[in-house]
Amino acid sequence: MTAVLNNFLEGVLAFAEPSGWKYALMIVIGLGLIMLAIAKNTEPLLLLPIGFGCILCNIPLSHAVGADGFLKVLYDAGIATELFPVLLFIGIGAMIDFGPLFMQPVTLFFGAAAQLGIFVAMLLAVGSNFIFPEVFTMREAAAIGIIGAADGPSAIFIGQLFAPRYMGSIMVAAYSYMSLVPLIQPPVVRALTTSKERRIRMTASFEKHKIPKHVRILFPIVVTLVAGIVAPMSTSLIGALMFGNLIRECGVTEKLSQTAQNELSGLVTLLLGITIGSTMRAQDFLTPQTALIMGIGLLAFMFDTAGGVLFAKLANLFLPEDRKVNPMVGACGISAFPMSARVIQRMAQQEDPSNFILMPAIGANVAGQVGSIIAAAMILSIFG
């Protein structure tokens, strides 16, 4: 009983120390993330475990994050080895239908244009060194830039290699802004488009049966081979994504496909979320660098959206009248799949309740998934 009382007093006194307010603030932040997940239904699969992990690691004397704590074990096993991002990509690949991309190939370019935020974020991170001397190295700036891919697994993969001291800030920025896509994208899209443009209908057919089965099977294999030869460092990520897609499309591994989409994705997301939360330790997270990374990450997502929309507007200058693209679809070129496509479909129906652009939006969204991995491979090749 005495030992329990002593532990309780030590924990309470830790909050009374000069830096104790930081632990209290981080616990409040964790509670805020949980509230968003439950009360507002804002990406609960991510924000709830992240918020709870944040609380666990900021309880004074917490054994969960000690040398033998289970969160430290999860971090070493899944983040440090980059196992969680690879497993998650298998699940994502099993969820993706590339059919809309095949039916509207122009959306592939939206996936490239919407990676603008990566390079803007890199430049901002490098430029911040003129204000705060030597705050980020070039490799750390590259890791911060990948937040603009709107792709959590890629951010983890590169962050662990290039910026381990900022892993918590990078992961939280990437996943938080992915969760906030419904709030970030609409204002940017409305600022760059007219009401007339937002009402454009896309008449191309996106019926799945029009894509031959052999094309669907060959696509992930060919992409893996080409990407592996051109950018060998991308093989882990692109290979995992395309393997997941192959077990979906081959038609003989339905159980594996369903397992990857449901049990595997759910389990990895659960473990990944609580592990990300455990990196939000007060002494590491409440720093000027974290505020800078969060600000750069927000701008990166905004420039991603702007890049895709502006490219779609540019493409319309060269497309015939009956093939015009709704510029909002360009915003789906970010890798936040399928959240961004849902947001754009909702915006289209706010302008015209009978307008249905979900399938081309999904096409741009899956193009963004591929584009983000290619961009990550470029960064690995340049700075690796």
Side-chain angles (χ1 to χ4, degrees):
M1 186 65 182
T2 303
V4 173
L5 182 60
N6 287 338
N7 286 338
F8 176 77
L9 290 174
E10 286 183 30
V12 171
L13 290 174
F15 287 108
E17 293 178 358
S19 61
W21 66 271
K22 294 183 177 181
Y23 296 104
L25 177 58
M26 291 307 299
I27 289 174
V28 170
I29 290 173
L31 291 171
L33 293 174
I34 293 173
M35 184 197 71
L36 279 175
I38 297 174
K40 302 296 184 181
N41 198 30
T42 304
E43 289 302 305
L45 297 182
L46 281 174
L47 292 191
L48 196 147
I50 289 175
F52 200 79
C54 177
I55 292 173
L56 285 175
C57 73
N58 285 288
I59 296 174
L61 311 178
S62 172
H63 183 68
V65 290
D68 300 319
F70 84 98
L71 291 175
K72 180 66 164 61
V73 173
L74 284 177
Y75 185 92
D76 291 341
I79 302 294
T81 63
E82 298 163 353
L83 177 63
F84 286 168
V86 172
L87 291 178
L88 193 55
F89 263 123
I90 293 175
I92 293 172
M95 298 177 194
I96 288 178
D97 177 7
F98 285 106
L101 178 61
F102 297 146
M103 295 303 298
Q104 193 86 359
V106 69
T107 57
L108 182 64
F109 297 103
F110 301 158
Q115 306 309 314
L116 174 65
I118 295 176
F119 306 101
V120 170
M122 284 179 60
L123 291 174
L124 288 173
V126 172
S128 64
N129 287 323
F130 294 102
I131 303 173
F132 308 101
E134 299 182 1
V135 64
F136 300 125
T137 67
M138 280 300 298
R139 285 163 65 92
E140 288 170 346
I144 293 167
I146 206 64
I147 295 172
D151 184 357
S154 293
I156 295 171
F157 196 90
I158 292 182
Q160 177 60 30
L161 290 174
F162 290 174
R165 64 174 173 161
Y166 296 127
M167 271 296 290
S169 303
I170 290 171
M171 290 190 295
V172 171
Y175 278 100
S176 296
Y177 291 136
M178 283 172 61
S179 303
L180 295 175
V181 159
L183 299 179
I184 296 172
Q185 285 203 311
V188 178
V189 171
R190 291 193 183 97
L192 297 175
T193 58
T194 65
S195 179
K196 181 181 178 180
E197 288 174 326
R198 294 194 292 272
R199 289 197 299 268
I200 292 177
R201 294 171 178 266
M202 300 183 68
T203 57
S205 173
F206 293 93
E207 295 178 12
K208 182 174 179 178
H209 70 270
K210 292 192 175 183
I211 307 298
K213 184 175 180 178
H214 70 273
V215 173
R216 291 179 173 274
I217 293 174
L218 286 174
F219 180 77
I221 297 172
V222 171
V223 169
T224 301
L225 289 172
V226 172
I229 293 170
V230 173
M233 294 190 75
S234 71
T235 308
S236 295
L237 294 181
I238 197 73
L241 184 75
M242 292 302 160
F243 171 66
N245 189 250
L246 180 61
I247 63 176
R248 169 198 175 97
E249 299 293 356
C250 68
V252 294
T253 54
E254 182 64 23
K255 285 187 177 181
L256 289 181
S257 176
Q258 291 301 318
T259 299
Q261 293 181 50
N262 298 301
E263 287 81 6
L264 178 63
S265 293
L267 180 59
V268 175
T269 300
L270 172 68
L271 297 178
L272 183 63
I274 198 168
T275 308
I276 290 171
S278 73
T279 64
M280 298 171 66
R281 293 184 295 271
Q283 62 269 32
D284 300 325
F285 196 79
L286 295 178
T287 64
Q289 290 91 333
T290 293
L292 197 55
I293 290 170
M294 297 296 288
I296 290 172
L298 177 59
L299 290 174
F301 270 66
M302 295 173 68
F303 274 97
D304 281 341
T305 302
V309 171
L310 292 175
F311 185 86
K313 289 167 70 80
L314 177 65
N316 277 344
L317 298 177
F318 305 97
L319 292 173
E321 195 63 33
D322 62 337
R323 301 292 294 179
K324 295 290 187 186
V325 173
N326 190 313
M328 294 196 297
V329 170
C332 299
I334 69 171
S335 184
F337 173 85
M339 191 188 319
S340 182
R342 294 199 299 261
V343 169
I344 295 305
Q345 170 61 24
R346 188 160 56 246
M347 289 184 67
Q349 292 197 316
Q350 288 172 352
E351 297 287 337
D352 178 0
S354 63
N355 194 6
F356 191 79
I357 61 170
L358 181 61
M359 293 311 290
I362 288 287
N365 225 173
V366 299
Q369 191 76 61
V370 176
S372 68
I373 297 177
I374 293 174
M378 289 174 57
I379 290 175
L380 285 169
S381 299
I382 294 170
F383 297 100

